[in-house]
């Protein structure tokens, strides 16, 4: 019997990526601050930053380091790789105008939801979500509707990796409750987020599928719970996101 082992990882690469993530979260930082927060020596951080500076991945302003504009180029390259991006932006612009609320598109990567696009009508709320930001799947409508179309084994792996952290009293933190919710979403065709991530915010999302076995991502509408009530929340908005998801599915086949 052959014993399988995890591939070896390179510690130096891991440290470099920790630095990049830290600078992304904090805009700019000095060597001492980064070393303290990451639990590394100043000498180690200095060597990594010197390499990143030479390779033009960071810039230095005085004693502080920032990510360079190189990441704009990298981000645009990733967007071009997503064949549906242009279709998504066009459809979400229409959905934002129709709903007058915040609309978003996300996909799953490494077990988390990644926001790829957002738009908003005149009454759209401002949230902490931003392009490229990652969120746990179990507590947002976008994430739950994606999970609902995954096999149980894949969902179990995601839970093992990321857990089910609680954000509000409405957050699903039980495995059994989550699987019951996902079954309901599969049968209904769309998902709700009833103040499960942010108190006072409700969302509804529908999946965008390449076919019956592959989910490309999901479309959502979000708004304050004071406006997301009754038939508007339970019927009108679900119909809107479902129609938009269907338009993206159809148009992406010919883009």
């Amino acid at each position: 019997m052959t014993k399988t082992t995890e591939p070896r990882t390179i510690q130096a690469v891991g440290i470099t990526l920790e630095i990049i993530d830290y600078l992304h979260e904090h805009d700019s930082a000095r060597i001492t601050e980064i070393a303290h927060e990451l639990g590394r020596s100043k000498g180690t951080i200095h060597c990594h930053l010197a390499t990143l500076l030479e390779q033009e991945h960071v810039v230095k302003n005085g004693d502080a380091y920032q990510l360079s504009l190189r990441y704009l180029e990298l981000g645009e390259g990733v967007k071009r790789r997503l064949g549906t991006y242009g279709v998504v932006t066009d459809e979400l612009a229409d959905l934002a105008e129709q709903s007058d609320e915040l609309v978003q598109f996300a996909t799953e990567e490494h077990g988390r939801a990644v926001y790829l696009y957002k738009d908003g009508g005149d009454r759209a709320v401002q949230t902490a979500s931003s392009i490229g930001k990652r969120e746990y799947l179990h507590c947002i409508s976008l994430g739950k509707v994606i999970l609902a179309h995954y096999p149980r084994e894949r969902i179990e792996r995601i839970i093992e990796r990321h857990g089910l952290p609680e954000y509000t009293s409405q957050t699903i933190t039980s495995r059994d409750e989550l699987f019951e919710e996902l079954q309901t979403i599969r049968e209904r065709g769309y998902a709700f987020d009833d103040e499960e991530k942010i108190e006072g915010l409700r969302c509804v999302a529908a999946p965008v599928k390449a076919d019956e076995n592959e989910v490309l991502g999901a479309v959502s509408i979000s708004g304050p719970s004071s406006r997301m009530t009754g038939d508007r929340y339970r019927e009108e908005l679900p119909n809107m996101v479902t129609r938009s998801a269907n338009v993206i599915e159809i148009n992406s086949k010919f883009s």
Side-chain angles (χ1 to χ4, degrees):
M1 180 177 179
T2 303
K3 182 179 180 181
T4 59
T5 58
E6 291 296 322
R8 293 176 58 195
T9 59
I10 300 173
Q11 185 182 27
V13 175
I15 295 171
T16 298
L17 295 176
E18 287 178 0
I19 293 170
I20 291 172
D21 286 343
Y22 187 85
L23 291 177
H24 173 64
E25 292 173 4
H26 296 83
D27 293 333
S28 68
R30 293 175 171 83
I31 290 174
T32 302
E33 175 190 341
I34 299 171
H36 174 73
E37 293 298 325
L38 299 185
R40 306 287 182 181
S41 72
K42 288 192 291 184
T44 296
I45 298 301
H46 181 267
C47 289
H48 283 270
L49 283 170
T51 303
L52 287 168
L53 185 63
E54 182 180 357
Q55 297 297 322
E56 301 181 354
H57 281 265
V58 301
V59 294
K60 187 179 180 183
N61 293 318
D63 293 333
Y65 292 83
Q66 298 174 313
L67 295 182
S68 75
L69 297 178
R70 182 83 180 271
Y71 290 91
L72 287 176
E73 178 185 2
L74 297 175
E76 287 300 314
V78 172
K79 285 197 296 188
R80 286 195 300 271
R81 190 188 72 200
L82 300 166
T84 60
Y85 190 78
V87 174
V88 168
T89 58
D90 290 344
E91 181 56 32
L92 261 64
D94 291 342
L95 183 60
E97 182 178 1
Q98 180 186 8
S99 67
D100 218 19
E101 303 285 3
L102 174 67
V103 299
Q104 299 177 104
F105 180 87
T107 190
E108 179 267 328
E109 186 176 76
H110 296 301
R112 300 184 75 178
V114 183
Y115 291 105
L116 299 183
Y117 188 76
K118 63 187 293 187
D119 202 342
D122 292 337
R123 298 195 300 171
V125 295
Q126 298 300 315
T127 69
S129 65
S130 58
I131 306 307
K133 184 173 182 180
R134 295 169 182 266
E135 293 280 10
Y136 293 102
L137 295 167
H138 71 288
C139 56
I140 59 174
S141 60
L142 288 162
K144 290 193 294 181
V145 85
I146 291 173
L147 282 178
H149 293 82
Y150 283 174
R152 187 180 182 101
E153 295 77 14
R154 185 171 180 179
I155 300 169
E156 292 280 9
R157 289 196 301 271
I158 291 173
I159 295 173
E160 285 297 322
R161 179 174 181 178
H162 297 292
L164 299 171
E166 181 177 354
Y167 288 94
T168 74
S169 60
Q170 296 291 95
T171 307
I172 295 174
T173 57
S174 159
R175 230 176 250 233
D176 290 342
E177 185 180 353
L178 177 62
F179 279 109
E180 289 178 10
E181 171 83 348
L182 297 181
Q183 178 61 36
T184 299
I185 292 168
R186 276 191 294 274
E187 295 170 354
R188 188 173 53 206
Y190 48 86
F192 292 109
D193 164 4
D194 188 4
E195 303 184 65
E196 295 165 47
K197 178 63 168 59
I198 301 172
E199 291 184 358
L201 186 74
R202 285 178 173 156
C203 314
V204 58
V208 175
K209 295 183 285 186
D211 53 46
E212 286 304 312
N213 299 313
E214 182 183 1
V215 181
L216 299 175
V219 177
S220 73
I221 300 175
S222 304
S225 55
S226 58
R227 284 204 301 265
M228 307 280 273
T229 59
D231 289 343
R232 174 171 167 77
Y233 181 48
R234 294 292 172 182
E235 295 183 20
E236 182 181 343
L237 295 180
N239 287 338
M240 285 185 189
V241 291
T242 301
R243 284 197 299 269
S244 287
N246 184 243
V247 169
I248 295 171
E249 288 173 352
I250 294 171
N251 288 340
S252 65
K253 290 179 170 61
F254 302 100
S255 62

